[in-house]
Amino acid sequence: MTHVRIVMVNTTLPANIGSALRAMKTMGLSQLVLVAPKTYPHPDIDALAAGAQDLVEKIKIVDTLEQAIQDCHIVFGTSARSRTIPWPLLDARPAAELSMDAVITRQQEIAIVFGREDRGLTNEELALANYHLTIPVNTDYGVLNVAQAIQVICYEMRMATLAQVQNDQASSDSQKMQVTEKIEMDWDEPLVNHQQMEEFYPHLEKMLVDIEFLDPQNPRLLPLRLRRLFGRAQLDRMEYHLLRGIFSRVQALSHGKWKKTALDKEEQSDV
Amino acid sequence: MTHVRIVMVNTTLPANIGSALRAMKTMGLSQLVLVAPKTYPHPDIDALAAGAQDLVEKIKIVDTLEQAIQDCHIVFGTSARSRTIPWPLLDARPAAELSMDAVITRQQEIAIVFGREDRGLTNEELALANYHLTIPVNTDYGVLNVAQAIQVICYEMRMATLAQVQNDQASSDSQKMQVTEKIEMDWDEPLVNHQQMEEFYPHLEKMLVDIEFLDPQNPRLLPLRLRRLFGRAQLDRMEYHLLRGIFSRVQALSHGKWKKTALDKEEQSDV
């Protein structure tokens, strides 16, 4: 994503610049522009940007926000609160989708501008933006710091990029399989919880040992495979009791404690 | 979102716990569980969790991961890399959608488990999860630290919550909800097809008749329940052959054609 730049205005803490670089690199962004940084260069930036040295070397330093965004087609100003007059406002997700569309279909340049640690962007700076960008947070406690906000927005940029790539590929190429699962919500029985399943697996394994299907001295991957299978299925209470009933019957059979007679109505009574 | 807990295993740095609390509070989550933390309590946690003191007071400390998740219905283990055998894997976004749906429609308990700063979760810990959860990152540089990963996942949880609220407002007509989830995974074995399953169910039922757990004259809902269970699980080829091997062993036992002797290596050979 060479067409999307992150712009930080008057940043004070080197740690925030380092974190921004890490977040960017992780999500595939590469261009950071610093507008009149308070502390730059600083050894902490290199330390915190561990592994993102190539991005450190690409950092551009400019004096004014105007210089940082002059060649951009779409500028987003990040803002936690509403300003003097309403501005076109986008959440991080639609902002990222809009950006990726602009980059891919029109090769436009995008800037996402972040303000000072203590007071964000000024009204004048926000007025330079095409859109204001906000991250939907808990309104009782709306305090993402600048590093966290950059993290979230870079993540949305990556998600939007991946979505575009997936749209382009006609889903035929790879060896990956896609499984579409429909989960019906009005289930007739409650699902069992983790604790119950931790009684289920030992019972299943003991039964398999009893019929000598599982060698306790050399279980190989069998217990893990069964755990994966039933963990994926998420048993409900009825299924759970049914299966444990079956295990107990097989165990009784293997111990010679149960022999084929009439159907035991008791065990099936709840089905 | 009181039904979603964040679980951190063997965390070393107080700063990461503080950051996690801030990220959680910002996104509306409140329950943090620490499994055998290396440094707790620590003054840095309170300093870094500024404004999230109510969450600090709610922190639960437990000795084992088992204790942290025992009452949970869905457990996500976060993982950056693939393990011994593939596990159902969800990206952060569908994982959050699945979680919110489970919470809102079924009041289920969800845990999202994060590992150690240096080496994540062990294979044994990951095997306790229903799903593995991953954040799609730049594969050349896939290193989100634990605080960043928690930030992204808490953000997706909030986005999924807001989407649910919007859905409720938009369509209050039906109480049924269907969520279609895409689960993408690099599975080690192909999934079996419908035809193979149509051989599987009769085999299972015949085995249950042989051990007189199923009355063919009066099967009630038992065959249907088993069909739903294994249909939901979507067996892969290995699981399929394992289960059919177990059925055959139980049948041989019930017919007196097989008696407990040495382990039959043949049946387990592919596991």
Side-chain angles (χ1 to χ4, degrees):
Chain A
M1 281 184 286
T2 53
H3 293 275
V4 179
R5 74 192 67 177
I6 300 293
V7 179
M8 297 176 80
V9 177
N10 286 174
T11 310
T12 302
L13 295 176
N16 285 333
I17 297 173
S19 296
L21 290 167
R22 273 177 67 94
M24 289 171 63
K25 175 131 188 175
T26 314
M27 299 302 170
L29 290 170
S30 58
Q31 184 62 65
L32 178 63
V33 183
L34 301 177
V35 178
K38 300 284 188 186
T39 324
Y40 186 87
H42 190 287
D44 284 2
I45 295 172
D46 296 81
L48 274 150
Q53 192 57 39
D54 50 331
L55 271 64
V56 174
E57 285 158 18
K58 282 188 68 179
I59 290 176
K60 281 186 193 161
I61 313 290
V62 294
D63 294 326
T64 67
L65 178 55
E66 297 271 3
Q67 292 172 305
I69 61 176
Q70 59 187 1
D71 59 331
C72 288
H73 303 88
I74 305 179
V75 175
F76 293 97
T78 57
S79 174
R81 58 192 189 281
S82 56
R83 303 294 169 151
T84 39
I85 61 168
W87 212 260
L89 182 68
L90 286 173
D91 283 353
R93 186 163 302 171
E97 289 162 357
L98 181 75
S99 298
M100 282 307 115
D101 188 66
V103 168
I104 289 170
T105 64
R106 298 187 297 280
Q107 291 77 50
Q108 294 189 334
E109 292 289 326
I110 314 293
I112 305 161
V113 184
F114 295 85
R116 298 150 193 84
E117 284 95 339
D118 54 349
R119 54 196 177 89
L121 295 168
T122 65
N123 286 343
E124 291 70 27
E125 287 161 347
L126 279 166
L128 298 176
N130 300 86
Y131 301 95
H132 293 172
L133 192 164
T134 188
I135 297 172
V137 294
N138 179 356
T139 46
D140 298 335
Y141 180 75
V143 286
L144 278 187
N145 66 35
V146 66
Q148 292 173 314
I150 290 176
Q151 177 69 56
V152 167
I153 288 165
C154 291
Y155 166 73
E156 283 290 7
M157 285 288 167
R158 179 155 186 85
M159 293 300 286
T161 311
L162 294 176
Q164 287 277 3
V165 170
Q166 279 172 0
N167 281 347
D168 290 354
Q169 291 174 349
S171 75
S172 58
D173 49 351
S174 74
Q175 292 169 338
K176 284 189 176 180
M177 55 178 159
Q178 288 200 337
V179 180
T180 300
E181 285 216 331
K182 246 187 191 172
I183 301 172
E184 174 81 40
M185 291 318 155
D186 283 336
W187 208 255
D188 52 352
E189 290 279 333
L191 300 192
V192 298
N193 64 23
H194 180 80
Q195 193 171 24
Q196 290 169 298
M197 288 308 287
E198 292 307 319
E199 293 168 24
F200 176 90
Y201 295 119
H203 191 183
L204 171 55
E205 288 169 25
K206 183 68 175 59
M207 181 271 283
L208 293 177
V209 169
D210 286 351
I211 64 169
E212 295 179 15
F213 196 86
L214 173 67
D215 179 359
Q217 304 308 313
N218 181 24
R220 307 196 216 188
L221 290 174
L222 181 53
L224 194 65
R225 287 190 181 280
L226 293 168
R227 184 178 272 273
R228 181 179 70 170
L229 164 60
F230 288 103
R232 195 165 85 230
Q234 282 197 276
L235 299 181
D236 69 29
R237 186 175 55 187
M238 178 70 85
E239 293 162 344
Y240 178 85
H241 289 299
L242 271 173
L243 291 173
R244 293 199 63 177
I246 294 170
F247 303 164
S248 295
R249 172 64 56 87
V250 171
Q251 286 183 300
L253 184 66
S254 79
H255 297 315
K257 290 181 183 164
W258 179 86
K259 287 182 180 170
K260 297 179 77 167
T261 55
L263 187 71
D264 183 353
K265 299 288 181 188
E266 205 66 4
E267 297 233 19
Q268 258 207 354
S269 59
D270 289 326
V271 181
Chain B
M1 280 184 286
T2 53
H3 292 275
V4 179
R5 76 193 65 176
I6 300 291
V7 179
M8 297 175 80
V9 178
N10 286 175
T11 310
T12 301
L13 297 175
N16 284 332
I17 297 173
S19 296
L21 290 167
R22 273 177 67 94
M24 288 171 63
K25 176 130 188 177
T26 314
M27 299 302 170
L29 290 169
S30 59
Q31 183 63 63
L32 178 64
V33 183
L34 301 177
V35 178
K38 299 285 188 187
T39 324
Y40 186 87
H42 189 286
D44 285 1
I45 294 173
D46 297 80
L48 275 149
Q53 192 57 37
D54 52 331
L55 270 65
V56 174
E57 285 157 18
K58 281 189 68 179
I59 289 176
K60 281 186 192 158
I61 313 288
V62 295
D63 294 326
T64 67
L65 177 55
E66 297 271 359
Q67 292 172 308
I69 62 177
Q70 62 185 3
D71 60 331
C72 288
H73 301 88
I74 305 181
V75 176
F76 292 99
T78 56
S79 175
R81 58 192 190 283
S82 57
R83 304 294 169 152
T84 38
I85 62 171
W87 212 261
L89 180 68
L90 286 173
D91 282 354
R93 184 162 303 168
E97 289 163 357
L98 183 75
S99 298
M100 281 308 112
D101 192 73
V103 167
I104 289 170
T105 64
R106 298 189 299 281
Q107 290 75 52
Q108 294 191 337
E109 291 290 326
I110 315 292
I112 305 161
V113 184
F114 295 85
R116 297 149 194 87
E117 283 95 340
D118 54 348
R119 57 200 174 85
L121 295 169
T122 65
N123 286 343
E124 291 69 28
E125 287 161 348
L126 281 166
L128 297 176
N130 296 87
Y131 300 95
H132 292 171
L133 192 164
T134 189
I135 297 173
V137 294
N138 178 358
T139 46
D140 298 336
Y141 181 74
V143 287
L144 280 188
N145 67 36
V146 66
Q148 292 173 313
I150 289 175
Q151 177 67 58
V152 167
I153 288 165
C154 290
Y155 166 73
E156 284 288 8
M157 285 288 167
R158 178 153 186 86
M159 292 301 287
T161 311
L162 295 176
Q164 286 277 4
V165 171
Q166 281 169 359
N167 278 348
D168 286 359
Q169 288 168 351
S171 62
S172 56
D173 50 339
S174 169
Q175 291 182 336
K176 273 193 177 181
M177 247 182 276
Q178 285 197 341
V179 177
T180 301
E181 291 296 335
K182 251 187 192 170
I183 299 179
E184 177 156 316
M185 46 192 168
D186 284 315
W187 208 253
D188 53 352
E189 290 280 333
L191 300 192
V192 299
N193 62 22
H194 181 77
Q195 194 172 21
Q196 290 169 298
M197 288 309 286
E198 292 308 317
E199 294 167 23
F200 176 90
Y201 294 119
H203 190 183
L204 171 55
E205 289 169 25
K206 184 67 175 58
M207 180 273 282
L208 292 176
V209 169
D210 286 352
I211 63 169
E212 293 180 14
F213 197 87
L214 174 68
D215 179 357
Q217 304 306 313
N218 182 22
R220 306 195 219 187
L221 289 175
L222 181 52
L224 194 64
R225 288 192 180 280
L226 292 168
R227 182 177 277 271
R228 182 178 69 169
L229 163 59
F230 288 103
R232 194 166 82 233
Q234 288 196 279
L235 299 180
D236 70 31
R237 186 176 55 187
M238 178 71 84
E239 292 161 345
Y240 179 85
H241 289 299
L242 272 174
L243 291 172
R244 294 200 63 178
I246 294 170
F247 303 164
S248 294
R249 171 65 53 88
V250 171
Q251 285 183 299
L253 185 66
S254 80
H255 296 315
K257 290 181 183 165
W258 179 85
K259 286 181 181 171
K260 298 180 77 166
T261 53
L263 186 71
D264 181 349
K265 299 288 182 189
E266 205 66 4
E267 297 234 19
Q268 256 208 357
S269 59
D270 289 325
V271 181

